[in-house]
């Protein structure tokens, strides 16, 4: 495991097996990948996405959006690390493969909430490695992200669902009564 954990003050956690398994260039590429997660504030975005999923009435839609975001987030961090050089792309691909081999066969690793060098799905790992090999072949040049129409529609549907849920909660009389009572308690406690 190699992960950035935390939202306000993110910290990097690296399992000792990772130090043993990776070479210097592979570790540098993995750290560049994690640095991109920190710079992009991906842990904050992931937490906001997870919190807003609860407000979405159509749960499968929220899970689909979360999976698509996580996949694109990992690809973006990979591409950022690979943009340094073709060798960095190959080193990161090698690091991903080596770290995935550290996971026992059939085990489903339980990782803390955070930005991880390894994503959740094996298919995503092969997609990431293929993308890194393509980047190495093209000199580490990043591709412009192509947002699919389905993902755009999914994103806007999620946003509309979130707004509708928020309006319902805000306008519901029982919610207003509870909020009013809570505010009254706080004000009474300040006296």
């Amino acid at each position: 495991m190699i992960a950035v954990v935390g939202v306000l003050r993110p910290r990097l956690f690296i399992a000792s097996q990772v130090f043993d398994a990776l070479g210097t260039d592979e570790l540098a590429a993995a750290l560049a990948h994690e640095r991109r997660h920190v710079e992009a504030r991906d842990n904050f975005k992931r937490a906001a996405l997870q919190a807003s999923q609860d407000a979405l009435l159509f749960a499968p839609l929220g899970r689909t959006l979360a999976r698509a975001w996580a996949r694109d987030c990992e690809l973006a961090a990979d591409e950022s690390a690979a943009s340094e050089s073709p060798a960095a792309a190959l080193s990161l691909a090698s690091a991903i493969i080596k770290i995935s081999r550290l996971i026992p066969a059939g085990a489903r690793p339980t990782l803390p909430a955070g930005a991880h060098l390894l994503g959740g799905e094996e298919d995503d790992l092969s997609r990431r490695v293929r993308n890194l090999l393509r980047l190495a072949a093209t000199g580490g040049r990043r591709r412009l992200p192509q947002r699919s129409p389905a993902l755009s529609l999914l994103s806007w549907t999620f946003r509309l669902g979130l707004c509708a849920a928020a309006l319902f909660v805000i306008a519901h009389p029982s919610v207003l009564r509870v909020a009013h009572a809570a505010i009254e308690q706080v004000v009474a406690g300040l006296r």
Side-chain angles (χ1 to χ4, degrees):
M1 176 184 83
I2 178 169
V4 174
V5 179
V7 175
L8 299 177
R9 289 187 294 177
R11 300 284 188 251
L12 180 65
F13 288 88
I14 305 174
S16 59
Q17 297 94 331
V18 172
F19 286 114
D20 297 336
L22 300 184
T24 306
D25 292 343
E26 294 163 334
L27 186 58
L31 293 175
H33 170 98
E34 295 302 327
R35 186 177 331 113
R36 166 54 164 81
H37 283 304
V38 172
E39 291 168 354
R41 301 191 44 84
D42 286 338
N43 284 3
F44 174 76
K45 293 172 187 174
R46 184 185 314 267
L49 182 61
Q50 288 174 343
S52 65
Q53 278 180 322
D54 294 338
L56 188 63
L57 300 175
F58 307 104
L61 183 65
R63 282 191 296 270
T64 301
L65 180 61
R67 278 192 302 268
W69 180 84
R71 184 176 50 247
D72 288 347
C73 176
E74 291 303 320
L75 287 172
D78 288 347
E79 289 182 1
S80 177
S83 68
E84 293 178 15
S85 71
L90 293 176
S91 293
L92 183 56
S94 177
I96 289 171
I97 292 168
K98 285 182 178 180
I99 292 172
S100 69
R101 288 183 177 161
L102 293 175
I103 301 169
R108 192 90 183 139
T110 304
L111 299 171
H116 308 288
L117 181 61
L118 292 182
E121 302 295 324
E122 186 173 324
D123 183 31
D124 287 343
L125 294 179
S126 60
R127 178 181 295 120
R128 289 174 60 198
V129 169
R130 282 193 309 268
N131 188 49
L132 287 165
L133 294 176
R134 183 188 57 74
L135 287 170
T138 60
R141 289 187 304 272
R142 296 176 70 181
R143 65 175 168 81
L144 292 176
Q146 298 295 321
R147 191 170 198 177
S148 71
L151 188 57
S152 290
L153 177 63
L154 188 63
S155 175
W156 280 106
T157 303
F158 178 77
R159 291 175 187 168
L160 288 174
L162 184 60
C163 288
L167 286 174
F168 174 77
V169 167
I170 290 170
H172 200 272
S174 64
V175 173
L176 293 175
R177 279 193 295 274
V178 170
H180 177 74
I183 291 170
E184 289 293 326
Q185 291 291 330
V186 169
V187 170
L190 293 175
R191 291 183 191 173

